[in-house]
Amino acid sequence: MTLPMVVPAAGLPARVRIHEVGARDGLQNEKTTVPTEIKAEFVRRLADAGLTTIEATSFVHPKWVPQLADAERLFPQVAELPVDLPVLVPNERGLDRALALGASRVAVFASATESFAKANLNRTMDEALAMFEPVVARAKARRVHVRGYLSMCFGDPWEGAVPVPQVVRVCRALLDMGCDELSLGDTIGVATPGHVTALLTELDVPVEKVGVHFHDTYGQALANTLAALQHGVTTVDASAGGLGGCPYAKSATGNLATEDLVWMLQGLGIDTGVDLGRLVATSAWMAEQLGRPSPSRTVRALSHQEQ
Amino acid sequence: MTLPMVVPAAGLPARVRIHEVGARDGLQNEKTTVPTEIKAEFVRRLADAGLTTIEATSFVHPKWVPQLADAERLFPQVAELPVDLPVLVPNERGLDRALALGASRVAVFASATESFAKANLNRTMDEALAMFEPVVARAKARRVHVRGYLSMCFGDPWEGAVPVPQVVRVCRALLDMGCDELSLGDTIGVATPGHVTALLTELDVPVEKVGVHFHDTYGQALANTLAALQHGVTTVDASAGGLGGCPYAKSATGNLATEDLVWMLQGLGIDTGVDLGRLVATSAWMAEQLGRPSPSRTVRALSHQEQ
């Protein structure tokens, strides 16, 4: 298999933890609903490819995310894997469901803008934060690790560019209520590298508490990731095969493909623990289940080679 | 139209010259042969969108590049545009044809590897350089600007990773024979940012003499461009709409899409002179002519918005 030549660059971390979101953020945005057994096999294959943090599913009410309505059946099928398996919880009811299954990592999801808080959570930003407060407190009391997703950190479809201080305010609120880490989301993919650096600089929290979550809507995800790495960030969200944003649909908002990320990190000599060949085979297999080609350029390039 | 928030980053150039290759490198690799009048209209629209360097066509023998066999008819239709219009010339015969039409900028194309020199030029690397020497000398005697393309600067499908000193040797040969600028090509798209920085550092020639030419086969083109900009490079090759590398074909070797590049540069506050809306409209129009969607993510995202 073709691999990039390894040439490190100055000022980058030695190791990056990939927070794999394909099974959750990816599949919840695919039109095809995948059978539970296939989802479990997907998570197993991702773990086998060396990913160590695999977001498994969501305990949002099935009415809102029907693709992941099988969370109670899926989670026990993968719970014994030797990897971290965070799950999304929107509120206390979701937390109860996750805790009942023994989840040791959960994630809440806040918004950096009023418009998206209203659209996604039907609440103001502050009402949403108030809703998360007991979720985080109860999780922490159970020694459960809590991630705080923050959507629309760079731009918002209704409000346009999002001011950095506004994002920083919500980040601090999430950390103050006890979140162990944040994931800064460019939900509509509009960010560019200077904006990424500006937010990280202004945020000024220890880099181990900050992950970045870029979408490739305008092709910027990997350049933005490079800027984040240069700032010292060591946690990067990505979706195997680029699941979750079909480039053929009008609503294309593709997640950064894990394979494209791994290609860059491998070339830079940054350790991820991932076996790129196994990961590509996993995404090619999942693309078959979904009946459409993977939007990941690396998956396409390497799958073609192997044919 | 959605635009990125402008947030400059430290250490980047204030202005970048985009060397637009869609009409040449793009169209010569498309399956569909485009009528001469459409090509001329494409070049005119690119100029109207603010691009100032538009590679217009190629004087390679039509047997090898049938898509551009109309160079003699095309060039006079665009020659009066107030932009630079370099043309590709493979040898003295090609130079004669270009000079006869009044071309003031030409480009030769060398290889950084023996395997590709053999495959593309049917010569050894040194034989190819010897072939270019009189081309460059005669062009310079006529005060014609000469660009030297160098293919396979980072990896080669036969030889794998390409050693940096080998690339530097050919670069120096091209500069020594009189080339005004180089274009360092990642023809198979395997480079990662550290490799880009290493080559530019080792090459150690004034940045105004160096352009970069990245392909997006593994999704790395824009991250590599960012690394080149951080090194001071101010000339970046790109192809409007990502023409030239159909992502649906097995041989996908997509050029960096000009729109994805402009999105990043605009967000970074780097002046290009390009009107992104006009450029997207041009690429959407050309995609219609070719009967397939543009592979540029920015073109897709912005075209969808406008529907």
Side-chain angles (χ1 to χ4, degrees):
Chain A
M1 187 176 77
T2 308
L3 288 176
M5 180 165 147
V6 177
V7 188
L12 297 185
R15 184 173 170 77
V16 160
R17 185 172 63 86
I18 298 175
H19 186 106
E20 168 60 45
V21 300
R24 197 278 302 168
D25 192 11
L27 294 184
Q28 85 171 40
N29 287 303
E30 292 287 337
K31 278 182 190 154
T32 309
T33 299
V34 177
T36 309
E37 286 62 36
I38 299 294
K39 287 176 185 164
E41 179 64 18
F42 184 43
V43 173
R44 279 191 288 268
R45 291 187 187 207
L46 291 170
D48 194 48
L51 289 155
T52 54
T53 306
I54 304 171
E55 200 161 299
T57 187
S58 164
F59 291 93
V60 170
H61 194 288
K63 185 168 77 178
W64 306 117
V65 184
Q67 296 92 331
L68 302 183
D70 60 354
E72 260 85 7
R73 282 189 293 122
L74 171 68
F75 194 80
Q77 294 189 35
V78 297
E80 297 305 314
L81 288 169
V83 298
D84 289 331
L85 294 165
V87 294
L88 205 65
V89 297
N91 50 30
E92 289 194 81
R93 170 79 188 108
L95 178 68
D96 290 338
R97 292 170 61 201
L99 293 178
L101 293 169
S104 61
R105 291 186 165 241
V106 299
V108 297
F109 48 100
S111 168
T113 69
E114 291 292 356
S115 302
F116 190 66
K118 198 75 191 168
N120 197 40
L121 301 165
N122 198 27
R123 280 170 172 75
T124 67
M125 286 162 71
D126 285 338
E127 285 168 357
L129 290 173
M131 174 173 73
F132 298 135
E133 204 153 342
V135 177
V136 177
R138 285 183 48 208
K140 292 315 299 170
R142 296 274 292 260
R143 297 174 193 268
V144 165
H145 182 278
V146 183
R147 159 175 261 227
Y149 277 108
L150 193 55
S151 295
M152 306 294 174
C153 290
F154 300 91
D156 174 293
W158 301 277
E159 302 181 19
V162 179
V164 169
Q166 178 174 326
V167 182
V168 170
R169 182 180 77 81
V170 188
C171 286
R172 294 211 178 282
L174 288 167
L175 291 172
D176 287 347
M177 72 175 69
C179 284
D180 296 287
E181 76 174 20
L182 301 175
S183 169
L184 306 177
D186 182 17
T187 316
I188 58 170
V190 296
T192 50
H195 197 169
V196 173
T197 305
L199 175 55
L200 291 168
T201 304
E202 192 67 30
L203 184 55
D204 191 27
V205 298
V207 286
E208 61 272 20
K209 284 186 174 286
V210 181
V212 288
H213 184 110
F214 294 120
H215 281 223
D216 218 16
T217 319
Y218 296 85
Q220 309 295 309
L222 208 52
N224 289 337
T225 301
L226 180 60
L229 297 176
Q230 290 172 336
H231 192 85
V233 167
T234 58
T235 301
V236 181
D237 296 7
S239 176
L243 285 177
C246 177
Y248 313 106
K250 283 204 177 188
S251 58
T253 54
N255 279 297
L256 171 60
T258 312
E259 291 83 357
D260 299 9
L261 171 64
V262 169
W263 184 278
M264 182 174 82
L265 296 176
Q266 197 153 328
L268 288 164
I270 296 173
D271 181 24
T272 63
V274 173
D275 180 317
L276 185 56
R278 285 191 186 179
L279 180 59
V280 166
T282 297
S283 291
W285 168 81
M286 181 48 84
E288 274 175 39
Q289 310 301 316
L290 293 169
R292 66 162 181 82
S294 164
S296 161
R297 296 190 190 261
T298 300
V299 170
R300 289 193 204 171
L302 292 178
S303 305
H304 294 156
Q305 280 184 2
E306 283 159 10
Q307 281 167 357
Chain B
M1 188 175 77
T2 308
L3 288 176
M5 182 165 146
V6 177
V7 188
L12 297 184
R15 186 175 167 77
V16 159
R17 185 172 63 86
I18 297 175
H19 185 105
E20 169 59 45
V21 300
R24 197 279 301 167
D25 192 10
L27 293 184
Q28 84 172 39
N29 287 303
E30 291 288 336
K31 279 183 188 153
T32 309
T33 300
V34 176
T36 308
E37 286 62 35
I38 299 293
K39 287 177 183 162
E41 179 63 19
F42 183 43
V43 173
R44 279 191 288 268
R45 291 187 187 208
L46 291 170
D48 194 48
L51 289 155
T52 54
T53 306
I54 304 171
E55 201 161 298
T57 187
S58 164
F59 291 93
V60 170
H61 194 287
K63 187 168 74 176
W64 305 117
V65 184
Q67 296 92 331
L68 303 182
D70 59 354
E72 260 86 7
R73 282 187 293 122
L74 171 69
F75 194 80
Q77 294 188 36
V78 297
E80 298 305 317
L81 288 169
V83 298
D84 289 332
L85 294 164
V87 295
L88 206 64
V89 299
N91 49 30
E92 289 194 83
R93 171 77 188 107
L95 178 68
D96 290 338
R97 292 170 62 201
L99 293 178
L101 293 169
S104 62
R105 291 185 165 239
V106 299
V108 297
F109 48 100
S111 168
T113 69
E114 290 293 356
S115 302
F116 190 67
K118 199 76 191 167
N120 197 41
L121 300 165
N122 198 27
R123 281 169 170 78
T124 67
M125 286 163 71
D126 284 339
E127 285 168 358
L129 290 173
M131 174 173 74
F132 298 136
E133 203 152 342
V135 177
V136 178
R138 287 181 49 208
K140 292 314 301 169
R142 296 274 291 261
R143 297 175 192 268
V144 164
H145 182 278
V146 183
R147 160 175 260 227
Y149 276 108
L150 193 56
S151 295
M152 305 294 173
C153 289
F154 300 91
D156 174 293
W158 301 276
E159 303 180 19
V162 179
V164 169
Q166 179 175 323
V167 182
V168 170
R169 182 180 77 81
V170 189
C171 286
R172 295 212 176 284
L174 288 167
L175 291 171
D176 286 349
M177 72 175 67
C179 285
D180 297 286
E181 76 174 21
L182 301 175
S183 171
L184 307 177
D186 182 17
T187 315
I188 58 169
V190 295
T192 50
H195 198 170
V196 172
T197 305
L199 175 54
L200 291 168
T201 304
E202 193 66 31
L203 185 55
D204 192 26
V205 298
V207 287
E208 60 272 21
K209 285 187 174 284
V210 181
V212 288
H213 184 111
F214 294 119
H215 281 222
D216 218 16
T217 319
Y218 296 86
Q220 309 295 310
L222 207 51
N224 288 337
T225 301
L226 180 60
L229 298 175
Q230 289 173 336
H231 193 86
V233 167
T234 59
T235 300
V236 181
D237 296 6
S239 176
L243 284 178
C246 178
Y248 313 105
K250 283 203 180 191
S251 58
T253 55
N255 278 297
L256 172 59
T258 312
E259 291 83 358
D260 298 9
L261 172 63
V262 170
W263 185 278
M264 183 175 82
L265 296 176
Q266 198 152 327
L268 288 164
I270 296 173
D271 181 25
T272 63
V274 173
D275 180 317
L276 184 56
R278 284 190 186 180
L279 181 57
V280 166
T282 297
S283 291
W285 168 81
M286 181 48 86
E288 274 175 39
Q289 311 300 316
L290 294 168
R292 66 162 181 83
S294 164
S296 160
R297 295 188 191 262
T298 300
V299 170
R300 287 193 205 173
L302 292 178
S303 305
H304 294 156
Q305 280 184 3
E306 283 159 11
Q307 280 166 357

